[in-house]
Structure formats: structure tokens, C-alpha cells
Amino acid sequence: AQKITQTQPGMFVQEKEAVTLDCTYDTSDPSYGLFWYKQPSSGEMIFLIYQGSYDQQNATEGRYSLNFQKARKSANLVISASQLGDSAMYFCAMTLNRDDKIIFGKGTRLHILP
Amino acid sequence: DTAVSQTPKYLVTQMGNDKSIKCEQNLGHDTMYWYKQDSKKFLKIMFSYNNKELIINETVPNRFSPKSPDKAHLNLHINSLELGDSAVYFCASSQDIQLAGEQYFGPGTRLTVT
């Protein structure tokens, strides 16, 4: 069965430091996609970054990068130079290309300290 | 045991019909949510219920009405379905209110309006 695991319920990081949010996944499908979403207190889910299972290079979007280690089945989100506005819940998610199903982790609450 | 379950998983219906999607959580959580996911994987929060009281309604048309008979259930009723309602709808639950804690997502319900 497919599964996403986020082992850090909450994290506190000093402003301007880099932060890594952990995500591991489990699937036997060879074709899948990995996502990260940010959820601020308003509740909306903001798409941050996507990594396909066949992508050779790690995905990057501005200050966000995805550390994709396929053999370890991990897809950690790295935020460089953290800002106060980065304080939010972060969800890792996976889709299976064969059926377009999406599975979410439970989320990590990130607090950026001034 | 399934933590958050939704029924049905797939729903195909015609424009103008009224339909309901059911959600149940067996985690003893106080808060439940409904999200809508569009074709680009973006998620938007629709409703949040805490102990049977609505606490978020993010500019959702009033054709959508959440119904919570008890804190373990949050059903989504949709009147006069429109083509644009086609999407995947996710139910989720969390122990905390105000989107502060881990959220457990259901498997999603794919609604197709023809």
C-alpha cells in the first residue's frame, strides 16, 4: 500500500536559517510524483514544488528545493534563508501516475522565530 | 483500520442533480475539513467543522452545504451540480482547531459532472 510519512509534527527554526522538512514514501509503483504544499493559517493549500519519479535532477523553485533520494524513498523539502512568512503547516503528498490518486502525509508545523 | 474514510470513491452524475459525499473519522478528532482539488492538483479548503460548528467557509457557493450529525462525520451535500464542480474532494480531520495540528486525509472522492 502507498504511504507518506512525515515524522516531524513540529519544528522551530531561526529566521534566515535553512530548514529541512522530512518526507518518506512507500510505493511499489515505478511511476509517481511527489508534491509539497504549504498551508498557512488561512487554510488554503499552496502548491510549492513537484518531483517526478523519473526526473534526474532535484526540483527547485526559488527558495524551495526537493532533496529526492529515490533509493531511500525520501523527498525532503529544503527551504533556504527562511522567513517569518514561512511559518505554516507543510504537507508532503504523492500521486501514482497509473490512477492519479493522491496521498497526503500528516503534515509538519514549521515555526520561524525572529 | 481506516482513519478517515469517504464514500463514494467515484461519483458520476448529471448537471442539475443533488448529491452527497460522506466522510467519517474514527480518530476521535474534534475538527474535520473538506477540500476541493482541481485538475492541476491545487487544493482549496472549503469547510472546517469543530465540534459540529462551522468555523471556515471560504467563499464556497451556497449550493455546497456541509452537514455534521456528530463530530465523527462531516458530509458534503451539493445541490444543482454544475460542470465546474467536477473535481476530487478530500475530507480530513485533526485534533486541533484552527488548522494547527496534523491532518489525516481521506482517500478522496472523484466527482464527475456530465
Side-chain angles (χ1 to χ4, degrees):
Chain A
Q2 292 74 34
K3 188 179 178 182
I4 290 281
T5 302
Q6 294 179 253
T7 57
Q8 307 152 309
M11 287 185 69
F12 291 83
V13 174
Q14 209 68 39
E15 189 181 9
K16 298 182 184 176
E17 288 184 354
V19 56
T20 299
L21 304 180
D22 294 341
C23 173
T24 58
Y25 61 93
D26 189 16
T27 181
S28 57
D29 278 48
S31 181
Y32 52 88
L34 296 157
F35 297 78
W36 276 93
Y37 290 91
K38 172 184 178 182
Q39 185 182 51
S41 57
S42 60
E44 61 187 305
M45 289 280 231
I46 302 167
F47 166 76
L48 296 179
I49 198 166
Y50 168 82
Q51 179 88 40
S53 59
Y54 294 117
D55 293 344
Q56 295 296 315
Q57 294 189 337
N58 287 347
T60 59
E61 291 285 347
R63 293 186 300 113
Y64 303 107
S65 60
L66 198 152
N67 184 1
F68 182 44
Q69 297 191 32
K70 198 169 183 177
R72 295 185 177 182
K73 292 189 175 179
S74 74
N76 298 341
L77 177 69
V78 180
I79 306 174
S80 62
S82 58
Q83 302 170 356
L84 294 178
D86 294 334
S87 293
M89 280 288 283
Y90 289 81
F91 290 92
C92 181
M94 175 173 65
T95 56
L96 301 178
N97 293 347
R98 61 174 164 84
D99 63 9
D100 212 31
K101 183 178 177 181
I102 186 166
I103 303 148
F104 289 91
K106 298 174 189 175
T108 295
R109 184 78 184 168
L110 177 63
H111 302 267
I112 305 298
L113 305 173
Chain B
D1 287 341
T2 303
V4 181
S5 60
Q6 295 178 229
T7 54
K9 289 187 178 180
Y10 299 95
L11 181 56
V12 181
T13 188
Q14 291 184 326
M15 285 176 57
N17 285 348
D18 302 337
K19 291 293 180 184
S20 291
I21 306 172
K22 295 183 178 180
C23 178
E24 177 181 2
Q25 54 96 2
N26 61 8
L27 299 165
H29 286 168
D30 289 336
T31 307
M32 296 182 71
Y33 313 87
W34 276 107
Y35 292 88
K36 179 182 180 181
Q37 181 194 37
D38 66 19
S39 58
K40 296 182 180 180
K41 306 287 188 224
F42 296 121
L43 284 100
K44 183 177 176 62
I45 192 165
M46 301 175 70
F47 299 104
S48 176
Y49 255 69
N50 181 56
N51 279 328
K52 296 169 62 176
E53 292 187 16
L54 180 67
I55 58 175
I56 296 176
N57 181 345
E58 293 291 321
T59 64
V60 175
N62 57 16
R63 297 183 296 104
F64 291 81
S65 55
K67 298 189 190 303
S68 183
D70 54 62
K71 76 171 190 177
H73 296 84
L74 181 63
N75 303 327
L76 183 65
H77 189 75
I78 315 170
N79 289 328
S80 302
L81 278 156
E82 301 177 357
L83 292 177
D85 298 333
S86 295
V88 181
Y89 292 84
F90 286 94
C91 177
S93 74
S94 69
Q95 184 60 60
D96 298 326
I97 61 173
Q98 297 179 351
L99 301 163
E102 293 180 325
Q103 293 180 37
Y104 292 69
F105 283 82
T109 295
R110 181 174 291 280
L111 171 65
T112 303
V113 182
T114 62

